[in-house]
Amino acid sequence: MTIRDVIERHGHFAHGGNPDDTAETWAESGFEAHEVDEWLLARCFNPSSARDLADAGVTPEMARMKTEAGAGDYVDTVGFKVSDSDLEVDEARNLVGVY
């Protein structure tokens, strides 16, 4: 399965209507298809945010944790909130216990 296949399977939120460019961005960020799938399951739709989280020691599994922390009056996953710029990577690290 390719990165593009994974992105298409996750739907519009995963590619914003442009699966080719999105797949290229995920690949340029250093992710393989199975890793993209894990980050998308964590609702982290931004490859740059996923890279920042991964580099900070946050795994996709950790990023699936739901939280109301950060900006915005809503509950979603840590991955989503970071990818939506409503939660900083350092805040995410603290929430999931990576020090």
Side-chain angles (χ1 to χ4, degrees):
M1 182 173 285
T2 67
I3 292 175
R4 189 181 195 285
D5 294 336
V6 169
I7 290 168
E8 284 187 322
R9 192 178 80 228
H10 282 274
H12 186 78
F13 275 112
H15 58 73
N18 192 341
D20 290 325
D21 287 350
T22 304
E24 185 176 325
T25 303
W26 278 102
E28 288 171 353
S29 296
F31 292 103
E32 296 181 19
H34 70 280
E35 295 168 312
V36 173
D37 188 48
E38 290 298 315
W39 284 107
L40 293 177
L41 287 171
R43 296 182 41 77
C44 187
F45 300 117
N46 182 317
S48 177
S49 297
R51 174 49 51 211
D52 290 346
L53 286 166
D55 289 349
V58 178
T59 67
E61 184 177 86
M62 292 172 178
R64 287 187 204 134
M65 183 181 97
K66 295 212 176 194
T67 185
E68 58 184 32
D73 188 24
Y74 67 99
V75 174
D76 211 315
T77 65
V78 168
F80 182 84
K81 286 203 157 202
V82 171
S83 69
D84 206 38
S85 300
D86 286 337
L87 188 67
E88 296 294 323
V89 172
D90 284 341
E91 292 175 293
R93 289 178 66 218
N94 289 333
L95 281 171
V96 301
V98 175
Y99 301 103

